[in-house]
Amino acid sequence: MLDKKLINEFEREKMQVEINKEVCKRWIEIDEISKKLCHDNCRWYHGAWCLLKCLDLVAGAVLFYKFYHKEIASLNVERLAVVGTAGISTPVLLSKLQPKAKLDVIDICPTPLKACEMYAKENGLIWNFRQQDMIKGFEPIKAYDLVVNDAFITLFRDLDKAIILKNIAKLLNPKGYYITTLRKGAYEGEVYKAEQKVQDTFVNNALIRSQEMAFEEKEFIRKKAKDYTATMTNYPMDSMENVKKLFNSNGFQVVSIDETEIIGESGNTIYFQVVAQREEEVLS
């Protein structure tokens, strides 16, 4: 009998190949779409993500496959949502782990929604899409058994993290689950941005890998990688205790939390892996 760890690793690798094949197929198309659909303040991100994922330079939900498989595959879920997605990675993962559940993809930007829509259509999947700002003009649904995203709230300042958590709680049925990851770092409450040396390495890696893949758009790739790494910021949390405090103060009770090391956007990065359950009553 095959070891369970080997089976999980095989499934993770197979899914990674599928996702990379998809993003490599249409990264130029997604960049063109982003010119029409993205606001200026997010095009550097959503216009570049498919390309950088194709070059294996950005992290994604599949890198946390063991965690998500353990926590999600056995849940009784009728309806679930991905809230905040850079591309197809998290929706594809969830559609594999919960194939019978109704899946909604929610994001403020129409570009990743369009990328997911194209993937779903080509693969005969029925996904629903909703453009939604999780901070301003939020409309609660209270319809989901499960909400999942990957390092999403790491992108926001602490005050906005609290607002987003309360709003995610309002999307969930009572006792529904929110399963996610957060970046760890010694920058509690402060912005983290890669140092220049790390940025230069990122751009150089993009050029090396694009050459290995026989891409001809050298200057285009250089600019995309440079803009991405120079602009990318996040707001890590420094301890499990502070993560628990944040969640438990904003509509959730943390069921479990641990740490894992992942090869991320700028080398190896520590992430918190969090399973939280919505409280019965969520305050406005």
Side-chain angles (χ1 to χ4, degrees):
M1 181 179 293
L2 285 173
D3 186 277
K4 189 174 182 180
K5 290 183 179 178
L6 290 177
I7 294 174
N8 282 345
E9 183 62 21
F10 172 76
E11 291 297 326
R12 187 194 72 81
E13 289 290 341
K14 186 169 69 172
M15 201 176 307
Q16 187 70 61
V17 168
E18 178 182 340
I19 290 170
N20 280 11
K21 182 180 178 181
E22 174 69 18
V23 295
C24 288
K25 179 174 67 177
R26 64 171 84 254
W27 62 267
I28 294 176
E29 182 180 6
I30 295 300
D31 179 66
E32 288 299 317
I33 288 171
S34 74
K35 293 177 184 178
K36 301 175 183 177
L37 300 182
C38 277
H39 297 295
D40 290 340
N41 62 352
C42 73
R43 186 170 176 260
W44 64 269
Y45 182 79
H46 289 127
W49 191 86
C50 277
L51 166 63
L52 298 175
K53 185 62 182 169
C54 177
L55 299 176
D56 211 19
L57 285 170
V58 292
V62 179
L63 294 179
F64 300 92
Y65 179 84
K66 182 179 178 182
F67 164 66
Y68 286 125
H69 183 274
K70 174 188 173 186
E71 302 297 343
I72 293 173
S74 62
L75 288 178
N76 182 20
V77 175
E78 292 185 6
R79 191 173 177 190
L80 59 87
V82 176
V83 175
T85 183
I88 67 169
S89 181
T90 306
V92 170
L93 175 64
L94 290 184
S95 70
K96 304 289 187 183
L97 297 180
Q98 287 285 342
K100 295 181 179 179
K102 295 179 180 178
L103 174 62
D104 289 7
V105 184
I106 301 171
D107 200 277
I108 190 173
C109 178
T111 296
L113 297 180
K114 186 64 176 178
C116 291
E117 182 184 354
M118 289 189 294
Y119 176 86
K121 186 176 180 179
E122 286 188 4
N123 290 275
L125 300 170
I126 302 174
W127 295 352
N128 300 305
F129 305 95
R130 181 183 177 200
Q131 189 175 354
Q132 172 72 69
D133 188 330
M134 291 301 294
I135 298 176
K136 299 176 182 178
F138 174 76
E139 299 176 9
I141 299 177
K142 295 183 180 178
Y144 300 108
D145 303 305
L146 173 66
V147 167
V148 178
N149 49 40
D150 175 44
F152 176 63
I153 65 172
T154 304
L155 299 173
F156 299 92
R157 298 175 187 274
D158 287 357
L159 288 177
D160 288 339
K161 282 184 175 72
I163 294 170
I164 291 168
L165 279 172
K166 287 178 182 177
N167 286 339
I168 287 175
K170 292 173 187 175
L171 292 175
L172 287 163
N173 293 320
K175 297 296 184 180
Y177 287 93
Y178 175 36
I179 299 179
T180 190
T181 61
L182 296 88
R183 183 171 179 163
K184 181 180 180 181
Y187 302 94
E188 185 71 29
E190 299 179 7
V191 64
Y192 168 79
K193 190 172 183 177
E195 298 175 355
Q196 188 60 52
K197 183 178 179 180
V198 176
Q199 293 182 33
D200 292 343
T201 299
F202 184 89
V203 174
N204 189 51
N205 285 340
L207 293 173
I208 291 172
R209 294 181 188 183
S210 63
Q211 186 175 14
E212 291 171 348
M213 299 176 74
F215 289 169
E216 297 178 354
E217 301 86 349
K218 182 177 179 180
E219 289 307 313
F220 177 86
I221 291 169
R222 183 198 302 276
K223 186 178 187 308
K224 284 293 181 184
K226 184 176 180 179
D227 289 349
Y228 180 91
T229 190
T231 311
M232 185 66 182
T233 57
N234 54 62
Y235 298 84
M237 301 196 70
D238 65 352
S239 68
M240 288 188 187
E241 201 57 43
N242 279 335
V243 174
K244 288 179 183 179
K245 184 178 178 180
L246 175 69
F247 276 69
N248 293 348
S249 300
N250 292 288
F252 289 95
Q253 286 294 318
V254 172
V255 176
S256 67
I257 181 171
D258 62 17
E259 297 180 11
T260 189
E261 186 175 24
I262 294 293
I263 299 175
E265 295 165 349
S266 301
N268 290 14
T269 309
I270 304 296
Y271 283 85
F272 298 111
Q273 300 179 137
V274 182
V275 178
Q277 191 169 31
R278 202 203 91 160
E279 292 181 335
E280 287 284 358
E281 296 296 329
V282 178
L283 298 177
S284 60

